[in-house]
Amino acid sequence: MVEVVKEKLLSEIRSQKTSRRFPDDEYQKIVSSLEQVPEDTLNEDFDGLVAESLPEYEYEWDAKSGRNPKTMLWYPEFKHSVDLYHPEKRIAVEVEKAQRKRISDDILKFIRGGKTRNGGRDVIEFGCLIVPTEHPEYGNLFQHSVTTLDFMRSVLHVEDIAVIGYRT
């Protein structure tokens, strides 16, 4: 099974204390769903297996129709989507398996979601990055994510971002 080995919240790094912390109950659900993924499926449908344990989240891919429009938060201007999205709680989850450069893209989605309003609320209020701690080609993606968040913390227009590091 996948093992969660490192965890960090943006709210632990920020000096500004007016933002809300990532909802603990949702955080625990996400961690639990990650820990249920068998390690031998990591390169197959890892995102989908995480999504199976989070039925209240919209999953980016729909088996019948392809992309789920409920995860395409900026359509039609931008066709980018998030991996998982809880529309009521405004939580976006991005699952990375390997690429260091994609982490910055994920953070940019959180920033854009924190600046996009729908129904009087930000489209993304909380973000969650799920990243490997050890990758043979890209190194420690968990530490890279935390360092990038620390560098960008003053422009992050979200309440909080959780970073969950895993290993198989």
Side-chain angles (χ1 to χ4, degrees):
M1 295 300 207
V2 170
E3 179 185 8
V4 172
V5 293
K6 296 198 180 237
E7 304 171 63
K8 191 73 166 181
L9 293 172
L10 174 63
S11 56
E12 297 169 354
I13 302 170
R14 272 185 176 154
S15 58
Q16 180 233 24
K17 303 295 182 197
T18 58
S19 299
R20 294 178 291 153
R21 286 182 58 91
F22 198 98
D24 190 55
D25 58 333
E26 292 302 316
Y27 182 81
Q28 295 306 322
K29 287 179 192 175
I30 294 167
V31 167
S32 177
S33 70
L34 183 60
E35 291 174 332
Q36 293 178 40
V37 175
E39 64 184 72
D40 60 343
T41 58
L42 189 59
N43 292 322
E44 293 175 21
D45 189 21
F46 189 69
D47 305 16
L49 292 170
V50 171
E52 283 179 15
S53 299
L54 297 168
E56 63 276 9
Y57 284 74
E58 296 291 338
Y59 177 47
E60 179 178 24
W61 295 103
D62 183 289
K64 298 174 192 162
S65 63
R67 282 180 95 178
N68 181 347
K70 292 180 181 176
T71 63
M72 297 175 72
L73 306 178
W74 306 277
Y75 188 81
E77 293 88 14
F78 302 102
K79 293 183 180 165
H80 300 288
S81 59
V82 294
D83 294 335
L84 297 160
Y85 183 64
H86 195 303
E88 291 84 34
K89 296 193 177 182
R90 307 293 172 113
I91 298 172
V93 179
E94 286 289 332
V95 181
E96 290 307 328
K97 294 165 283 293
Q99 296 186 16
R100 186 177 191 142
K101 65 181 173 72
R102 302 254 343 246
I103 290 168
S104 296
D105 294 346
D106 295 339
I107 294 170
L108 289 171
K109 289 178 193 178
F110 296 157
I111 291 170
R112 179 70 181 203
K115 293 184 68 131
T116 304
R117 310 247 330 141
N118 184 356
R121 288 176 62 192
D122 296 336
V123 171
I124 297 175
E125 294 177 358
F126 301 97
C128 181
L129 284 171
I130 298 174
V131 297
T133 54
E134 303 163 14
H135 188 274
E137 186 176 347
Y138 300 103
N140 188 334
L141 293 179
F142 175 84
Q143 189 56 52
H144 173 71
S145 300
V146 171
T147 301
T148 302
L149 282 176
D150 188 24
F151 179 74
M152 300 175 78
R153 71 181 180 269
S154 64
V155 297
L156 294 171
H157 302 280
V158 293
E159 297 289 333
D160 204 0
I161 296 174
V163 182
I164 303 171
Y166 67 88
R167 86 170 145 229
T168 55

